[in-house]
Each structure stands twice: as C-alpha cells, then as structure tokens.
Amino acid sequence: MVCLGASMWGGRGVAGQYLLQDCGFSTGWLVVSRMLIAGVILLGLDFCLYRENIFKVWKDSRDARDIVIFATLGMLAVQYTYFACIKYGNAAAATVLQYLMPVIIVGYTALAARKLPKALEMLCVVMAVGGTFLLVTHGSLDRMAISVEAFAWGLVSAVAAAVYTMKPKRLIRKWRATL
C-alpha cells in the first residue's frame, strides 16, 4: 500500500503537468474533477464499510465550520495552488515548494506557543529554505529558474498544505478520516 500510494502521489504531479501544459486543461477543471470523484469514492467507501449516515458530521455547528474551513482553505486551496504552480512551472518545483509546509508549521507552532523552535527544527528550516533557494534560483541572486507565478503559487501551496495538515486533527479524532 505504501509503494502504491507513493507511486500514485508521484504520478499525480507528472500527469497534472501533462494535462495542464500539453492538453490545455484548466487548473480549476482539473482540481474540481479530481476532488468530486475522490469525494464520491471516499464517501461511498465510508458508507459501505460503516453503514452510517454520512451527513451526520454536519449536525454539530463547530464541526460544520471546521469542515468548511478545512475544505476551502486546506483541501481545495492545496490542490488548486499545487496545480497552478505546475501550470506556471513544473511538477518538481511545485512539489518542492509545497513541501516548505513544515517551515510554515514550525513557524506557526512557535508563534502559537510563544516559544522558539528547537535547534534541530531550526536546522531543518534553514536546510529546507536553503534547498528551495537553490532550486528556485540555481544559486544565482539575480534571476530565478522558475517563473514568479510558479514561485508565488508554490509558496501559497505550502501555506495551504500546512492548513490541510493541521486543521482536521480534531475532526479526524472525532470522526473517521474517510468521512
């Protein structure tokens, strides 16, 4: 399952790049189609496995609010910004930029706790930012190796990925991940 998941995850960026750049698909259409199909499959699977009302998560107003925030600022945003970055750049740059997400999470956690990150966390942040700098500039301070649009979408993707990672914790503890 891990190998299958990793292969499918890696293939999504390349397939997305092909659809966006070579076939002329729009980012919005690609994201909405993927999310609708995946949502129907996951909710259908959840119903088949648990035989419970899949709409019960909407009865609690706090849960409903958190689902809407996660769905828009997490799920939709991370998908749209990732594929927009691919459209203006490439799958490799989009993936590296999106995975600045831990830097965002470390920064948010430090601010929320009002405590500096540990030395190892700081080292990881410096390495992630340094590696991203090399990818984006190829080591040159006067020009970027990817478009400004791709860079901007990639940074927004990192923020959205942080929301996507952190926001559903309470919901997943209360409900199932598929639901």
Side-chain angles (χ1 to χ4, degrees):
M1 294 297 278
V2 170
C3 290
L4 177 64
S7 297
M8 293 181 82
W9 179 87
R12 82 175 169 142
V14 175
Q17 183 172 334
Y18 171 74
L19 292 172
L20 292 167
Q21 293 179 355
D22 296 336
C23 297
F25 282 60
S26 75
T27 305
W29 184 89
L30 180 61
V31 170
V32 169
S33 298
R34 290 180 76 238
M35 290 180 66
L36 282 174
I37 292 168
V40 167
I41 290 170
L42 285 174
L43 288 175
L45 180 64
D46 186 87
F47 180 76
C48 288
L49 289 174
Y50 299 101
R51 299 284 181 202
E52 294 176 2
N53 180 358
I54 59 173
F55 299 104
K56 66 184 178 181
V57 296
W58 295 99
K59 293 184 186 216
D60 181 292
S61 62
R62 181 177 179 208
D63 290 348
R65 184 201 68 214
D66 284 353
I67 289 169
V68 169
I69 291 169
F70 168 68
T72 55
L73 300 179
M75 180 81 66
L76 177 63
V78 78
Q79 293 287 318
Y80 188 87
T81 57
Y82 175 75
F83 284 109
C85 184
I86 289 174
K87 181 177 182 174
Y88 292 105
N90 58 59
T95 302
V96 170
L97 288 168
Q98 186 178 72
Y99 279 86
L100 281 175
M101 165 201 46
V103 173
I104 307 297
I105 292 174
V106 167
Y108 172 81
T109 304
L111 287 173
R114 295 183 181 165
K115 183 177 157 187
L116 287 175
K118 296 177 183 171
L120 183 58
E121 292 169 333
M122 288 300 293
L123 176 64
C124 291
V125 165
V126 168
M127 290 175 65
V129 171
T132 303
F133 169 79
L134 290 174
L135 170 86
V136 169
T137 65
H138 288 180
S140 172
L141 293 174
D142 56 342
R143 70 184 195 298
M144 290 179 52
I146 63 171
S147 71
V148 173
E149 292 91 349
F151 182 66
W153 281 115
L155 290 182
V156 176
S157 181
V159 173
V163 173
Y164 173 83
T165 301
M166 296 179 72
K167 186 63 181 166
K169 284 182 183 178
R170 186 188 67 77
L171 290 169
I172 291 173
R173 279 194 300 267
K174 183 173 179 180
W175 305 98
R176 299 176 293 280
T178 53
L179 189 56

